[in-house]
Amino acid sequence: MPPPLLQGPVHTLLKPPPPPPPPLLLLLLLLLITFLPTTTSHTSSTTNPPPLSTSLSQWQSARATYYAASDPRDSVGGACGYGDLVKAGYGMATVALSESMFERGQICGACFQIKCVDDLRWCIPGTSIIVSVTNFCAPNYGFTSDDGGKCNPPNKHFVLPIESFEKIAIWKAANMPIQYKRIKCRKEGGIRFTISGSGIFLSVLISNVAGAGDITSVRIKGSRTGWLDMGRNWGQNWHINANLQNQALSFEVTSSDKMTVISYTVAPKDWRFGQTFEGKQFET
């Protein structure tokens, strides 16, 4: 029998050696694969905000009809809430959009350039018009989209005052093929804030907006409060339930191209419901 002292070393030599540590390069590659996608996605989303519209400089196809105002009151109202369009500074350079374009009112205030195409009998060559969105052309599901339901989805349709329609086409053209493109709005003066409501309910109509023209978010600040988010009521009417009377009011307005304008102390502390105040304007 071999001496007992030989058993220990023999048993030890038969143990498998411990696995070697992973190479440093392999660890670095694993860390890089794990964290690189998250970092890249975060950087892309914060440094490259979506533009106002990828089609700002591209002409697209649609159709247009007109309405003839038989009563001066026809120029008052509309789904965007601007009220008297002449007093609001829009005049007859306006348009109602079909459902597929109206975006439930978010696009109110946006500006389009329109021209007549593809019909040499009725088009006035070399002409175009610029209009602001102030109204909605409701669908009529009693007709199909290609037979009477001109504003039914998926139709892209513009309804113009006859005064604007006749600048690009003869009125007998009726339902005309057109081309349009989204453009920046140019306005005189600042953004207008018309305050209405009662008690703690405060509603603000925002109009005369340059740049993108349409508003995506609004915040209000009283002289004794912080910034408060307002909700879209309808069109470009924004509301909040807060007691802001006897406080000077400031507004922060953000447009669809992610630009923001802050107007401090637009309304003095003795403001009243029904008054309109003017703030800063977007650069164009």
Side-chain angles (χ1 to χ4, degrees):
M1 178 179 294
L5 291 176
L6 295 178
Q7 297 297 320
V10 171
H11 181 68
T12 301
L13 289 174
L14 292 176
K15 284 185 176 180
L24 179 60
L25 180 59
L26 179 59
L27 284 174
L28 291 175
L29 287 173
L30 288 173
L31 289 173
L32 187 61
I33 293 172
T34 302
F35 294 106
L36 183 57
T38 302
T39 304
T40 302
S41 174
H42 176 72
T43 302
S44 175
S45 64
T46 54
T47 59
N48 298 303
L52 165 65
S53 172
T54 56
S55 60
L56 274 177
S57 59
Q58 299 174 357
W59 290 101
Q60 300 184 62
S61 297
R63 300 189 75 86
T65 50
Y66 63 85
Y67 69 91
S70 58
D71 189 298
R73 291 174 295 181
D74 290 344
S75 62
V76 177
C80 293
Y82 293 126
D84 190 318
L85 296 177
V86 175
K87 289 183 178 180
Y90 295 99
M92 293 292 103
T94 62
V95 66
L97 296 183
S98 60
E99 185 173 18
S100 62
M101 301 182 68
F102 192 63
E103 299 177 10
R104 297 185 177 182
Q106 180 178 309
I107 202 169
C108 287
C111 296
F112 290 90
Q113 185 176 1
I114 301 173
K115 63 182 181 180
C116 179
V117 293
D118 298 335
D119 198 329
L120 299 179
R121 296 172 302 166
W122 310 119
C123 292
I124 300 175
T127 60
S128 67
I129 55 174
I130 295 174
V131 293
S132 298
V133 180
T134 62
N135 211 341
F136 172 53
C137 178
N140 183 350
Y141 294 114
F143 297 92
T144 62
S145 59
D146 58 354
D147 182 25
K150 59 182 181 295
C151 290
N152 293 2
N155 291 348
K156 293 183 177 181
H157 198 90
F158 292 72
V159 182
L160 302 163
I162 192 170
E163 293 89 342
S164 296
F165 187 91
E166 288 188 315
K167 292 180 179 179
I168 59 173
I170 307 300
W171 67 270
K172 290 183 179 180
N175 193 350
M176 279 290 301
I178 62 165
Q179 286 188 332
Y180 71 94
K181 65 178 178 179
R182 180 88 178 263
I183 64 171
K184 295 283 188 178
C185 299
R186 297 184 180 274
K187 302 293 182 181
E188 293 184 4
I191 298 174
R192 296 173 188 166
F193 302 89
T194 301
I195 303 173
S196 60
S198 177
I200 66 169
F201 177 78
L202 188 144
S203 177
V204 179
L205 169 64
I206 301 178
S207 60
N208 201 54
V209 180
D214 54 344
I215 302 303
T216 56
S217 66
V218 179
R219 296 203 299 169
I220 189 172
K221 180 183 181 303
S223 51
R224 299 193 300 272
T225 73
W227 286 104
L228 306 172
D229 292 331
M230 302 190 76
R232 186 190 301 276
N233 195 312
W234 58 285
Q236 290 299 357
N237 286 277
W238 297 77
H239 72 279
I240 189 171
N241 287 329
N243 187 356
L244 298 175
Q245 295 187 39
N246 301 314
Q247 297 185 56
L249 303 180
S250 303
F251 293 93
E252 178 189 276
V253 177
T254 301
S255 57
S256 62
D257 58 356
K258 310 302 181 184
M259 303 299 292
T260 296
V261 163
I262 301 177
S263 299
Y264 291 102
T265 318
V266 171
K269 66 178 182 179
D270 59 347
W271 61 268
R272 295 291 182 268
F273 291 118
Q275 291 181 309
T276 298
F277 302 94
E278 191 170 297
K280 293 180 64 177
Q281 183 62 273
F282 290 100
E283 296 181 3
T284 55

